[in-house]
Amino acid sequence: MSVNVANALTVDVEDYFQVAALSSVIKPHQWEQYDRGRVVPNTQRLMDMIQQAGHGATFFVLGWIAERYPDLVRQIDKAGFEVASHGYSHQLIYQQSPAVFREETIKSKSLLEDIIGKPVRGYRAASYSITPASEWALDILAELGFSYDSSLFPVKHDRYGMPGAKPLPHRLETPSGETLVEFSLTSLDIMGYRLPIAGGGYFRLFPYWFSQWALSKHLARTNKPFVFYLHPWEIDVDQPRVAGLPLKSVFRHYNNLDKCEKRLSTLLSKYHFRDMETVLESEGLLSRC
């Protein structure tokens, strides 16, 4: 390992047809016709890679997936990984009402807890969609008993972003005055511009050497853990190609899928990873239940 800091490795468990980049063509009511269970073997491959490299990880599981593949959720838990919530329907929160968001979040949390028989403490919003327009969601997360959130991306983006968010793990005060631990998605300040470096599409877009340089630069500057995220579909080079997408969406979704798994293997050999709950405990921000 190049640095002895324990970083948070996270997997957002959703399938290719559920991502925001494809939402202009594929609507939620059509998901069943696309679902052929690709998420199961892809998630299992990631689990195997992470276990073989000797790491821990948090799997933020979409409720829609958990409802259809409860055995996959049990496998994640039985393997010693943390199970956390990715909401239920993977819709952008700022396009939902507080009532709908609360209902879906309760449904997802209860579903996961019933499957694994233990509390679910962490939450991550679909497409990091807790923004200034949906900051009220933090109040609901605190109200529903979540210990931490990892939805705030302190960058500017056309679909998400909370530019004023603190970029390191911290305790935040929700709009109503409640306290919630936040593990913001990792970004790097480069000459006043905050660049997203936490994984996903950025991990595929940037050359691998740049991602490793940026993550190492973050560790050197802050001596604080970074969070890295990936989706099971990002190692699925054989996934069906969806027609009729805008060029921007084609680029965001399909760019360098064939390189992602090898890059991840290299990353796992360079850094020390644990699940998010354990990392936040080591930072003194959470205590073990």
Side-chain angles (χ1 to χ4, degrees):
M1 304 296 175
S2 61
V3 181
N4 199 31
V5 172
N7 304 289
L9 179 60
T10 64
V11 178
D12 293 351
V13 183
E14 64 201 50
D15 218 332
Y16 73 96
F17 51 84
Q18 297 173 312
V19 304
L22 276 56
S23 63
S24 64
V25 174
I26 303 176
K27 306 304 179 183
H29 71 272
Q30 298 173 305
W31 285 356
E32 294 287 359
Q33 70 187 61
Y34 285 90
D35 181 27
R36 296 293 183 273
R38 302 185 72 88
V39 68
V40 174
N42 291 329
T43 302
Q44 292 169 335
R45 279 169 60 199
L46 285 175
M47 290 169 59
D48 289 344
M49 288 181 67
I50 296 166
Q51 283 186 309
Q52 290 171 13
H55 300 296
T58 294
F59 286 71
F60 289 94
V61 184
L62 194 68
W64 192 94
I65 294 293
E67 199 167 51
R68 286 153 180 80
Y69 304 106
D71 284 347
L72 177 64
V73 182
R74 293 187 190 98
Q75 289 171 24
I76 293 168
D77 177 62
K78 187 176 180 181
F81 297 118
E82 180 189 9
V83 173
S85 174
H86 197 33
Y88 182 81
S89 67
H90 209 263
Q91 301 306 293
L92 300 172
I93 293 174
Y94 51 77
Q95 294 180 350
Q96 294 184 311
S97 69
V100 169
F101 174 74
R102 178 184 285 105
E103 179 184 359
E104 286 201 351
T105 307
I106 291 171
K107 182 178 182 179
S108 174
K109 190 174 192 290
S110 298
L111 180 63
L112 293 171
E113 290 177 342
D114 287 347
I115 291 172
I116 65 174
K118 63 182 70 170
V120 168
R121 303 182 72 189
Y123 178 86
R124 174 173 287 162
S127 301
Y128 309 104
S129 55
I130 298 182
T131 70
S134 54
E135 199 170 359
W136 46 261
L138 296 171
D139 286 325
I140 295 175
L141 295 178
E143 170 196 330
L144 297 182
F146 286 96
S147 300
Y148 74 85
D149 171 67
S150 182
S151 303
L152 304 189
F153 221 142
V155 300
K156 294 181 180 179
H157 188 276
D158 62 350
R159 187 174 290 127
Y160 53 77
M162 186 80 80
K166 187 175 180 179
L168 299 174
H170 63 286
R171 289 188 182 90
L172 60 75
E173 184 176 305
T174 71
S176 66
E178 299 297 321
T179 299
L180 191 66
V181 173
E182 177 66 37
F183 201 142
S184 300
L185 280 296
T186 304
S187 57
L188 184 70
D189 189 300
I190 299 179
M191 300 180 66
Y193 176 77
R194 191 153 285 280
L195 185 72
I197 59 170
Y202 305 107
F203 188 59
R204 291 182 285 112
L205 170 64
F206 300 142
Y208 176 80
W209 67 263
F210 180 82
S211 292
Q212 184 173 319
W213 173 85
L215 292 171
S216 295
K217 180 65 71 173
H218 164 85
L219 292 172
R221 285 183 182 177
T222 68
N223 198 34
K224 292 291 183 179
F226 63 77
V227 55
F228 184 85
Y229 73 93
L230 206 70
H231 306 87
W233 57 263
E234 291 186 280
I235 62 167
D236 185 3
V237 296
D238 296 322
Q239 66 184 264
R241 264 33 180 189
V242 178
L245 294 171
L247 289 178
K248 180 190 288 188
S249 296
V250 171
F251 178 74
R252 283 178 170 173
H253 189 80
Y254 296 113
N255 180 58
N256 288 334
L257 285 178
D258 59 331
K259 298 179 181 179
C260 190
E261 187 168 356
K262 183 177 180 180
R263 289 181 178 184
L264 177 61
S265 180
T266 303
L267 189 81
L268 293 176
S269 72
K270 299 295 183 182
Y271 298 99
H272 180 46
F273 290 106
R274 287 292 177 260
D275 62 81
M276 188 162 278
E277 184 179 37
T278 298
V279 173
L280 289 171
E281 287 172 355
S282 70
E283 289 295 303
L285 293 169
L286 284 183
S287 58
R288 181 68 65 175
C289 288

